[in-house]
Amino acid sequence: MIWDPASLDPYRELWSEVFRVRPHQPSASFEWTRALFHNHLGKDDRLVLVVLRDRERIQGIVPLVAESSRLFGLPMVTLAPLSERYNTHGDLLLSAASENLVGALLDALFSFPYPWDMFRMSRLIEGSPLTACLEDQLRRGQTSFRSRSEAPSFVLPLPGSYDEYLARRSGKFRNFVRRAEKRLARLGRIEFLQTGVHLDLDAAYTALIDIETRSWKHEHGTAISAIGRQRNFYQELCRGMFESGRLHLTFLTLDGAPIAYNLGLVFDDTYYYLKTSFDEAFRAHSPATVVRSRLLALLIESGISTFDFPGEPYEWEAQWTRDLQWHRSLLVFNRTMRGQFYGMLRRLRDSRRKTPPEGVIAYVDPRDLKPPARQ
């Protein structure tokens, strides 16, 4: 256990070696973790790297954050992977989702020298080997925990051609996409540009922030441009992913001026859609539809097989796909008397909460999202 490391850079090579052993979510990558480390740790948070070894070979590196909060007015300490600071698919950097490694991690949790009450992972992919192994090991250890179905995210398996994709959609959708292209084309010259091909990274990120500033989200307080740590987080993430060849940042321009963008990452043959926005002045001309349709055509042409919407489910995403992947959350309660007491309190709170039945989608309205209290 390495407490409060001053930097993650000494672990970069080892981190990348473990990451390449098996498919991982982007949230387990070194670039993602380092950007969170620099921008999403509070002054009172404690970070520990749990390093799992088999003799001299490192088999896992799990960055955990100890965070203080309150439950029913009582102080409580929660342990969670650092990746929980961003709403995306949950994952752990382990060379295998195996009984030995998951069991070793859980043993490490319960031997922590730092007092904690709950361990949390909120968006594990339901049915994944990691999720199944975690639940199995918790049951075998007769550990008190809660596993619950959580909001799904959309996923789009990509066909062999863009025309084939459109043919699978409704006639109403196809007509809407065509009309959007025509409406926007009447205003001037449209171009679709890709970072690293048509734009360098610095110019691209400047354009991204400019579009965010002119989006409805900026005045709402939820745009990247309106939140200092988010602005820095995405800038660092884009730089790291660009250097590793995984950044996929594209723009729609009108007479040379950027008016919409797509920010995503490519891991293996999957595109992960992180952010998108457009200039509010062009809302009536549907730039979001145009920039997204151009993106899909480019990804299919590039041989990408899956388009993953890893965040919360938005209703507009259902226009592009109906396929879903559900998530599960895990809450593990410490074996201490205090941990068991907090487990009882948490179950009491959960019983009072109104949640949709399992299998029912509760769409998130982005305009209902509140800006963070701490800028």
Side-chain angles (χ1 to χ4, degrees), residues 162 175-186 190 252 285-286 289-291 293-294:
Y162 182 63
N175 290 334
F176 179 73
V177 171
R178 294 189 186 105
R179 288 198 304 269
E181 285 270 359
K182 291 178 180 178
R183 281 198 303 268
L184 202 55
R186 293 190 193 106
I190 299 174
L252 191 71
H285 299 86
S286 306
T289 298
V290 176
V291 75
S293 63
R294 296 284 186 101

Side-chain angles (χ1 to χ4, degrees), residues 165-282:
Y165 167 73
L166 285 179
R168 295 178 180 180
R169 312 308 300 164
S170 68
K172 181 179 179 181
F173 177 83
R174 293 195 296 271
N175 290 334
F176 179 73
V177 171
R178 294 189 186 105
R179 288 198 304 269
E181 285 270 359
K182 291 178 180 178
R183 281 198 303 268
L184 202 55
R186 293 190 193 106
L187 299 181
R189 175 174 51 89
I190 299 174
E191 289 184 287
F192 186 67
L193 308 179
Q194 184 175 357
T195 304
V197 179
H198 310 101
L199 296 170
D200 65 43
L201 180 62
D202 291 337
Y205 195 71
T206 298
L208 181 155
I209 293 298
D210 184 51
I211 293 170
E212 285 280 305
T213 303
R214 291 182 281 119
S215 73
W216 67 266
K217 294 182 289 185
H218 185 79
E219 290 299 320
H220 186 65
T222 54
I224 297 174
S225 54
I227 306 168
R229 67 177 182 273
Q230 284 290 82
R231 185 172 183 148
N232 296 334
F233 166 77
Y234 279 107
Q235 185 172 29
E236 183 170 351
L237 180 67
C238 287
R239 172 64 62 187
M241 292 297 181
F242 183 79
E243 291 172 353
S244 66
R246 301 184 186 279
L247 181 69
H248 200 287
L249 177 56
T250 53
F251 293 88
L252 191 71
T253 66
L254 181 63
D255 291 334
I259 62 169
Y261 78 86
N262 299 302
L263 171 59
L265 305 173
V266 174
F267 284 76
D268 299 321
D269 60 351
T270 298
Y271 173 90
Y272 295 88
Y273 203 18
L274 300 185
K275 286 287 183 179
T276 182
S277 199
F278 61 90
D279 186 334
E280 184 68 17
F282 296 94

